[in-house]
Amino acid sequence: MLKSKTFVKKTRSGGIMKIVREHYLRDDIWCGSEVCTECKQEESVLQKDACIESNLCSFPHYLLPDTNVVLSQIDILEDPLIKNVIILQTVLQEVRHRSAPIYKRLKDILHDKEKHFYTFTNEHHRETYIEREQGESANDRNDRAIRISTKWYSDHLNNIPTDMGLKVVLLTNDRGNKEKAEESGLLTYRCEEYVKSLIANPELVDRLALTNDDKNEITSSKVLFPEHLPLSRIQSGIKSGTFQQGTFRASRDNYLEATVFVHGEGDDSTEVLIQGLQNLNRAVHQDLVAVEILPLNQWVAPSSVVLQDEGPKEDDVTEEEEEAELKSGPSGAGSRKPTGRVVGIIKRNWRPFCGMLFLSQIKEATRHLFTPADRCIPRIRIETRQAATLAGQRIMVAIDGWPKHSRYPNGHFVRSLGSAGDKETETEVLLLEHDVPHQDFSQAVLSFLPKMPWNITEEDMAVREDLRNLTVCSVDPPGCTDIDDALHCRDLANGNQEVGVHIADVSHFIRPGNAMDLEAANRGTTVYLTGRRIDMVPELLSSNLCSLRSSVERLAFSCIWEINDKAEIVKTRFTKSVINSKASLTYAEAQMRIDDANMNDDTTKSLRGLNRLAKILKKRRIEKGALTLSSPEVRFHIDSETHDPIDLQTKELKETNSMVEEFMLLANISVAQKIYDEFSECALLRKHPAPPPSNYDILNKAAKSKDLVIHTDSAKALADSLDAAQVDGFPYFNTLLRILATRCMMQAVYFCSGMDSDFHHYGLASPIYTHFTSPIRRYSDIIVHRLLAVAIEADSTYPDLMDKHKQSALCNNLNYRHKMAQYAQRASVAFHTQLFFKSRGILNEEGFILFVRKNAIIVLIPKFGLEGTVFFENKDKPSPKLIFNEEAPSLTVEGHSFNMFDKVKVTISLDASNVQHQKIRMSLVEPVISGVSVVPSEPEPEAKRTKLDR
C-alpha cells in the first residue's frame, strides 16, 4: 500500500517546486514474539516466558516505553533485569533527533541479544501508521501513534491461541498520555510506579531519574536562582549582541567562580569571568550557556583564594555568607576582567559522573549528597535506600535537573564501580572521568582481523618493494611491544648514505569505513597508563602483525632518503615495502652498541651512521630556532607480584632517544610536504601556534628575579635566550627555566589544510608538519598513510578522505582524544605516586620553588619529578603573617621571603584524610621559620618497612 504526501517548496531562485514523498505501508512486519504463529518471522526476539516479579504485573508481559521514558530512564532500560521491551520506530526516531548519546546507548541495547529488545517498525505497518490530524502537534501525533501501536500489540497477542496470558504494558510519565491510554483500555503505568513494584530490586529504584514532580518535592520553596531565559529570548539576545554564547568552564580551585569561553571570529575569543552563585546560575562545567556582560563598574578580578565546597550547605544558607571569602581577591582596575552572569542554558553537557556518597547526618535519611571526583562539578543530591552499602565506594551518578529552588542539582544513582582506593576501581574512575573508550573490542570490530595464521602473500610482494635484505633495526623503550618504527642506514657507492624510516603499514589491515576503522577513529589514540595500555587497535595488530618485531617479515611504509655527508637530503622517495628487522633494541642497548668500540657488526655500523647524521640534523634544527624544552617525566618500577610501585625516578634520556626522534621528525616533515603538494585542500597536518606574549609573563618574571632577560619575540630568540640563561653555582637553574617555558606553550593540534592558513609548528621551527610515524597508536597517522598511498598511487582514494569538512571534524575528535589521553596519563602517574608514598611514610627531600602563590609555594622535587604545594595557612593553627608581592612574584612569611627557583627542603607524605581526593602533602623543613616549618622526619627502621619496599 502506498501513501504519498505532496507539498510545495520555494527555491533559492524564487521558483516553486512540487515535492511528492511516498510512504510505503506493509502487512508483513513481524511482531517479534516467540508465542506468535501468525507472523512469519525468521527469528523471534521477545520471549514466551517474559516474567519479571512485580506487585503490579503478576503475569508475563512486554514493556513498551514512550519517548520521554527512554530519554529520562535509559539507566533503567540498560539494567540486566529489564528484558523483553518493544521499541517503536516512532520512539527510536524521536530519540535520535533529541539526544545522540542516548540514541547510541539505545542502539547498543537493541544489539545485545540477551536483552531481548525488539524494534517494531510501526510507521510502515498498515494497521499502526497514522496521519497527523488538522491542528494536532507533532508531539501529540507521536503520542497517539504510540497508543495505537500498544493497542495493536495487545489485540495481536490476545488473538494468539495460548494460555500464556501475555500482556503489553505501556510506560509513560506523561499524565495526559496515560489518561488517554487508560480510556482506550490499555495497561499503563508511570515508569517510577512500575520500577518500585519490582520485587527485591532496591538498586533499580535508586537508578530512577527524577521526574518534574519529584524535583519539586525535594526542593525548598525559597527561590535561590534567577529563572533561565527561554531559548527564543536567548537567540534574539545573541543576534542583537545583548548576550554572548560560550562554553562554561568551572574553576577547580574556587567553586564560586568560572569563566565562559566566548568564541569570536577566526581565532578571536574572549573569556568572561563569572563570580557568585546567582551569576553562575546553575550552569555546570562544559555547558553551552548564554551570558550577559555586566556594566564596567561591576567588573571584578579573578579571586586568588582557593575555595572548596566542603560542607553540605542547606538551601537557606545566604549567598552573602558563602561568598564573603571571594572578596579577598585583588581589586585593582588593572587586574579586572570582563565579568558577566549566566542568563540561560543553550545546551547541557551532562554525563554520568564518578565520585563518592557522603551520608546525611539525619538518621535513616534517603537523600544524600554525592561529591564528584572532578572538582569542576558541583555536588549532586540523590535519593537512595542503600547508602550504607555505597559508603566508601566509588559510584556513578547522573544529573536529572537543577531547579531554581535548590542549592544543588538533583540526580540519581547509576552504578557502583568498586571500593575507593582499590587500584582497579581508581583506574576505571580515571578512564571514565577522562572519557577514554576502554571497553573490549566488539565482535563486529574483531571480525575484520585477518585470519590466523597470517602470511605475506605473493600478491602483497608483487606491489611492494622487497627490503628484507636491509639491516633494519628498531630502538624503543624497554618492554615496548607495539613497535611502530624501524630504521636503516647504509653507504652508497657515490659516497652518500641511504637512510630509511620504515613504519608499520597499519592501513593495509584497517580499511576505510569498516567497524575496526570506525572504532579506531573514535578512540583516536592508544592510552598509556602506569602498568596498563588501552589499545587503539586490537592486540593481534598492535603487538603482533603490525609490530615491527625482529626476525619476522612485516609490511611497512618506507620513507627513504639519499643524504650527503653534511646531512643534506639529495633525494626522497616513499614506497610500500616488506622488511625483516634484524634487531629490536632498547635505547640503552643501542647506546651501548654505539659506544662499544669492539662491536662492528652491520646493525652497530648502521646505528653509528644514524647517530652521526642525527647530531648534525639536530644542530641545524636548533640553529633554525627549534625549542629544547623540559618536563620532568617519571618512571615507576613495579613489583611483579603486587603490581605496586616500588621505586620512582625521573626518566634518563640517552643520545639514542634523540637519534630516533630526529629521523621521526624528518620523516614527518617529508611526508607533510608530499601530501600537501598532492592534496592542498585535504591534507591532515599538525601545527603548534606561537603563544601570545602574555603567556610569557611568568617566565619573564622568573628570569628577571635572577637579573636575566628572556627574549620571546620569536622561537629562535627564545631558544637563544634559554641557552644563554645560566646562573653561577646553580646548574639546575636552566632546567627549571625550560620547565617553566614548557608551561607557557600552546597545545599542538591537528587540522585540515583546506580549513586553515597558518601551518607553522612553533616548537619545531618547521613551516609544515604532520604525524606519520606511529599508526599503531595514533589514528591521525593512519589517515596520513592513506593520503600518502594515494599520492604515490599505492592505494585508491575514498570520498571522506577528500572531504575537508569531514577531515576537519575528525581532527576535532583527535585533538579531544589526545588531550584527554594526556590528562588520563597524568592522573595515572599521580595515583601511582600516591601509592608509592603510601608505602614510604614521610620522606625528606630537597626541591625548588616553581611558583609563588598568595598563601602557598609550589615546589618541584627533581629526584622524583614531583610537584607539590606547601600551604602556609592551616585551619588547626593561627596563620603566620603573609605578604604577597604579585609583581616579583614573592611571598614573605614571618619576615622570610620566598622567590621562584629558591631551594627549599620539605617533608613529603600522603594526605589520605579525604578518601576521594588523596594528595601528596608537603611541609617546609628548611629554611627554618618559627611556627611554620616542621622537624624533619626520621627514616623508618628497616624492620618496619612493608613488603613493598623489598
Side-chain angles (χ1 to χ4, degrees):
M1 181 179 168
L2 181 67
K3 289 257 181 186
S4 63
K5 284 183 184 173
T6 306
F7 57 95
V8 291
K9 183 181 173 185
K10 195 173 183 180
T11 64
R12 282 184 181 177
S13 58
I16 300 293
M17 184 191 290
K18 183 180 177 183
I19 295 174
V20 178
R21 283 224 178 115
E22 294 180 339
H23 191 89
Y24 290 89
L25 299 180
R26 299 167 56 163
D27 298 314
D28 60 348
I29 294 173
W30 309 321
C31 69
S33 174
E34 270 183 355
V35 300
C36 181
T37 50
E38 280 185 39
C39 299
K40 297 178 179 62
Q41 44 214 8
E42 292 166 6
E43 188 182 8
S44 51
V45 176
L46 302 164
Q47 295 169 297
K48 271 183 196 171
D49 54 339
C51 293
I52 183 168
E53 286 188 88
S54 161
N55 293 327
L56 287 174
C57 310
S58 54
F59 39 81
H61 58 277
Y62 299 147
L63 297 175
L64 196 154
D66 73 1
T67 308
N68 286 326
V69 166
V70 173
L71 287 168
S72 63
Q73 307 292 356
I74 189 73
D75 291 322
I76 295 286
L77 296 176
E78 283 177 330
D79 193 279
L81 186 76
I82 304 298
K83 294 180 179 179
N84 295 297
V85 177
I86 300 159
I87 300 292
L88 299 178
Q89 181 189 0
T90 307
V91 171
L92 197 61
Q93 287 173 341
E94 270 199 285
V95 170
R96 186 181 181 183
H97 289 136
R98 286 170 62 181
S99 174
I102 291 176
Y103 177 70
K104 184 183 182 304
R105 288 168 72 181
L106 183 58
K107 290 290 280 184
D108 288 344
I109 302 172
L110 288 163
H111 288 140
D112 183 351
K113 291 189 175 177
E114 290 183 14
K115 290 284 286 171
H116 300 281
F117 271 52
Y118 180 66
T119 310
F120 180 63
T121 320
N122 65 305
E123 296 290 356
H124 287 277
H125 195 292
R126 189 197 296 267
E127 292 179 48
T128 57
Y129 172 76
I130 58 164
E131 299 268 6
R132 186 168 159 187
E133 293 174 352
Q134 189 84 32
E136 188 178 39
S137 71
N139 194 45
D140 287 346
R141 180 261 169 209
N142 288 344
D143 283 348
R144 188 161 58 88
I146 291 166
R147 293 194 299 273
I148 295 282
S149 297
T150 310
K151 180 89 171 86
W152 178 86
Y153 252 107
S154 298
D155 295 345
H156 181 73
L157 294 174
N158 280 338
N159 293 335
I160 296 165
T162 173
D163 56 357
M164 297 288 296
L166 252 175
K167 291 189 166 56
V168 176
V169 175
L170 173 63
L171 295 182
T172 179
N173 291 330
D174 183 308
R175 202 169 290 164
N177 195 23
K178 186 172 184 288
E179 285 169 5
K180 286 176 182 171
E182 285 167 343
E183 284 167 17
S184 306
L186 300 177
L187 189 58
T188 314
Y189 296 112
R190 283 173 59 236
C191 184
E192 182 188 7
E193 194 180 1
Y194 176 79
V195 169
K196 285 182 176 176
S197 80
L198 300 177
I199 297 162
N201 282 289
E203 189 173 312
L204 203 58
V205 176
D206 288 349
R207 296 181 78 173
L208 275 168
L210 295 174
T211 61
N212 286 328
D213 294 344
D214 300 324
K215 289 170 194 172
N216 294 334
E217 257 178 54
I218 65 168
T219 57
S220 69
S221 55
K222 183 182 173 187
V223 175
L224 299 175
F225 296 100
E227 191 84 66
H228 285 149
L229 296 179
L231 212 51
S232 55
R233 282 274 309 278
I234 290 171
Q235 284 167 340
S236 59
I238 290 169
K239 202 171 181 181
S240 66
T242 313
F243 305 143
Q244 310 275 323
Q245 72 169 339
T247 307
F248 182 89
R249 291 179 182 167
S251 165
R252 294 180 68 83
D253 299 321
N254 190 331
Y255 74 101
L256 294 174
E257 189 168 273
T259 50
V260 172
F261 192 75
V262 178
H263 299 276
E265 291 293 316
D267 288 341
D268 279 354
S269 57
T270 40
E271 284 192 357
V272 179
L273 184 67
I274 316 286
Q275 271 191 5
L277 276 181
Q278 293 245 325
N279 291 338
L280 295 170
N281 197 8
R282 297 170 284 153
V284 176
H285 187 59
Q286 296 294 354
D287 282 352
L288 188 63
V289 300
V291 292
E292 179 181 37
I293 309 290
L294 297 172
L296 197 61
N297 63 353
Q298 291 180 38
W299 287 15
V300 294
S303 173
S304 55
V305 175
V306 175
L307 206 55
Q308 303 295 345
D309 184 4
E310 287 170 348
K313 308 278 193 306
E314 295 307 318
D315 290 336
D316 56 359
V317 169
T318 66
E319 193 184 353
E320 289 76 14
E321 285 171 42
E322 249 187 282
E323 296 176 13
E325 291 183 78
L326 262 182
K327 312 302 178 196
S328 54
S331 54
S335 55
R336 289 183 182 181
K337 289 194 164 183
T339 307
R341 65 187 185 96
V342 174
V343 294
I345 310 293
I346 298 167
K347 185 172 181 283
R348 287 290 192 190
N349 201 19
W350 294 343
R351 59 179 172 83
F353 300 105
C354 302
M356 291 183 74
L357 200 62
F358 286 83
L359 305 191
S360 168
Q361 299 303 307
I362 303 164
K363 206 174 180 185
E364 292 181 24
T366 56
R367 289 174 191 152
H368 306 272
L369 277 180
F370 163 84
T371 302
D374 185 347
R375 291 190 186 275
C376 293
I377 307 299
R379 292 175 164 216
I380 302 163
R381 188 185 276 116
I382 71 164
E383 193 162 337
T384 176
R385 287 152 193 79
Q386 47 173 345
T389 314
L390 297 177
Q393 295 208 334
R394 292 282 201 170
I395 64 171
M396 287 184 83
V397 162
I399 299 178
D400 299 324
W402 196 341
K404 61 185 176 183
H405 306 92
S406 175
R407 168 68 180 79
Y408 296 109
N410 297 322
H412 66 274
F413 167 78
V414 175
R415 66 186 170 104
S416 173
L417 300 169
S419 299
D422 175 75
K423 204 181 304 169
E424 280 70 32
T425 303
E426 296 302 329
T427 302
E428 179 73 5
V429 167
L430 75 87
L431 289 170
L432 289 166
E433 281 298 292
H434 295 98
D435 196 14
V436 175
H438 60 286
Q439 66 280 9
D440 291 341
F441 288 102
S442 68
Q443 279 309 119
V445 170
L446 298 175
S447 69
F448 285 97
L449 287 171
K451 301 290 175 278
M452 296 300 286
W454 173 85
N455 290 300
I456 295 172
T457 63
E458 286 182 17
E459 289 81 5
D460 292 329
M461 293 301 299
V463 293
R464 290 172 180 271
E465 196 168 332
D466 188 349
L467 303 179
R468 290 175 294 183
N469 62 314
L470 293 179
T471 308
V472 171
C473 69
S474 62
V475 185
D476 290 283
C480 178
T481 59
D482 51 343
I483 302 170
D484 287 289
D485 54 87
L487 300 142
H488 89 268
C489 176
R490 64 174 178 173
D491 295 331
L492 297 173
N494 62 3
N496 290 340
Q497 284 180 301
E498 179 186 87
V499 173
V501 165
H502 311 278
I503 306 300
D505 189 6
V506 182
S507 62
H508 171 85
F509 296 96
I510 300 181
R511 303 309 295 163
N514 71 23
M516 187 152 50
D517 183 47
L518 298 175
E519 181 66 22
N522 177 45
R523 292 187 179 216
T525 179
T526 292
V527 181
Y528 295 91
L529 305 180
T530 305
R532 183 177 172 190
R533 187 180 84 201
I534 290 109
D535 283 325
M536 180 184 80
V537 298
E539 193 176 14
L540 179 65
L541 296 184
S542 65
S543 294
N544 188 350
L545 302 185
C546 291
S547 185
L548 305 183
R549 302 186 302 186
S550 57
S551 307
V552 287
E553 293 179 358
R554 288 290 178 256
L555 303 180
F557 209 151
S558 301
C559 174
I560 300 169
W561 305 276
E562 184 181 330
I563 297 181
N564 66 21
D565 232 23
K566 295 174 185 171
E568 293 165 337
I569 296 170
V570 177
K571 197 162 63 178
T572 306
R573 68 189 180 91
F574 307 99
T575 180
K576 292 255 184 171
S577 62
V578 179
I579 65 164
N580 188 326
S581 173
K582 303 301 181 277
S584 298
L585 305 172
T586 66
Y587 290 116
E589 287 167 347
Q591 191 66 53
M592 282 190 288
R593 278 176 176 259
I594 291 167
D595 296 341
D596 187 345
N598 296 321
M599 293 193 78
N600 282 302
D601 57 280
D602 288 347
T603 300
T604 305
K605 284 178 185 171
S606 176
L607 287 168
R608 286 186 187 132
L610 290 165
N611 199 36
R612 187 187 70 79
L613 291 169
K615 286 177 181 175
I616 303 170
L617 288 168
K618 185 171 184 177
K619 184 169 179 282
R620 189 179 303 144
R621 215 164 43 77
I622 288 168
E623 282 168 0
K624 283 184 181 174
L627 296 173
T628 309
L629 299 176
S630 183
S631 61
E633 283 191 75
V634 295
R635 165 161 281 134
F636 292 95
H637 292 273
I638 304 288
D639 185 291
S640 59
E641 288 177 33
T642 65
H643 302 291
D644 286 328
I646 51 176
D647 197 10
L648 169 64
Q649 55 190 214
T650 48
K651 289 182 184 174
E652 184 192 343
L653 296 180
K654 300 188 180 299
E655 248 183 29
T656 43
N657 289 77
S658 182
M659 175 191 82
V660 173
E661 184 187 14
E662 284 308 313
F663 286 107
M664 296 307 115
L665 293 174
L666 191 63
N668 286 335
I669 292 166
S670 298
V671 171
Q673 195 59 58
K674 177 70 176 174
I675 62 173
Y676 178 63
D677 290 344
E678 292 288 335
F679 310 110
S680 61
E681 285 293 293
C682 59
L684 191 152
L685 302 175
R686 187 163 175 83
K687 69 172 181 174
H688 182 215
S694 60
N695 277 31
Y696 289 120
D697 286 352
I698 194 72
L699 185 67
N700 290 326
K701 284 178 182 178
K704 193 179 174 186
S705 71
K706 301 292 180 190
D707 298 321
L708 294 168
V709 177
I710 299 289
H711 298 286
T712 57
D713 37 336
S714 71
K716 171 77 174 141
L718 175 61
D720 291 345
S721 297
L722 289 171
D723 288 342
Q726 304 291 338
V727 173
D728 292 339
F730 190 178
Y732 198 67
F733 170 77
N734 192 264
T735 306
L736 285 169
L737 209 59
R738 289 180 193 274
I739 289 170
L740 211 55
T742 307
R743 310 285 169 94
C744 302
M745 294 297 129
M746 304 289 282
Q747 190 83 30
V749 289
Y750 297 109
F751 69 101
C752 176
S753 58
M755 306 290 280
D756 210 324
S757 55
D758 175 23
F759 294 6
H760 190 75
H761 197 293
Y762 180 81
L764 297 173
S766 176
I768 194 164
Y769 193 66
T770 193
H771 273 164
F772 164 76
T773 54
S774 296
I776 295 176
R777 60 186 177 90
R778 290 189 305 231
Y779 188 76
S780 53
D781 303 49
I782 293 177
I783 295 294
V784 169
H785 276 227
R786 289 174 181 168
L787 288 163
L788 184 61
V790 175
I792 65 167
E793 298 180 356
D795 205 344
S796 53
T797 186
Y798 58 98
D800 283 8
L801 194 65
M802 298 295 145
D803 186 328
K804 65 180 182 181
H805 297 287
K806 287 192 174 167
Q807 285 279 50
S808 191
L810 174 65
C811 287
N812 290 339
N813 181 56
L814 295 181
N815 291 330
Y816 170 71
R817 291 294 187 208
H818 275 261
K819 182 174 70 176
M820 297 317 276
Q822 276 184 334
Y823 291 163
Q825 282 155 213
R826 285 178 205 163
S828 179
V829 168
F831 174 64
H832 281 79
T833 304
Q834 289 167 12
L835 284 180
F836 172 76
F837 282 105
K838 189 177 185 178
S839 71
R840 280 292 186 277
I842 300 174
L843 297 181
N844 307 311
E845 293 295 341
E846 287 188 340
F848 297 97
I849 298 175
L850 261 191
F851 301 104
V852 178
R853 295 284 183 256
K854 194 171 183 180
N855 59 346
I857 53 173
I858 292 158
V859 176
L860 172 73
I861 311 295
K863 180 179 174 181
F864 298 132
L866 174 71
E867 270 178 53
T869 307
V870 176
F871 286 100
F872 293 115
E873 286 177 336
N874 197 318
K875 285 179 185 172
D876 308 329
K877 52 185 182 183
S879 294
K881 187 183 177 191
L882 303 176
I883 302 167
F884 180 58
N885 178 351
E886 204 177 349
E887 276 308 301
S890 71
L891 178 65
T892 305
V893 182
E894 293 291 341
H896 184 95
S897 188
F898 290 97
N899 297 287
M900 290 173 75
F901 302 164
D902 283 359
K903 195 173 188 178
V904 292
K905 193 169 187 179
V906 295
T907 63
I908 311 170
S909 60
L910 179 69
D911 176 6
S913 57
N914 182 333
V915 183
Q916 170 145 269
H917 294 120
Q918 294 190 21
K919 54 180 180 279
I920 300 298
R921 180 172 289 284
M922 291 189 184
S923 301
L924 187 70
V925 174
E926 291 175 12
V928 176
I929 303 171
S930 178
V932 174
S933 50
V934 298
V935 179
S937 69
E938 292 296 319
E940 279 186 51
E942 195 66 34
K944 280 194 178 179
R945 293 274 178 99
T946 60
K947 176 181 182 291
L948 230 76
D949 289 310
R950 293 198 292 275

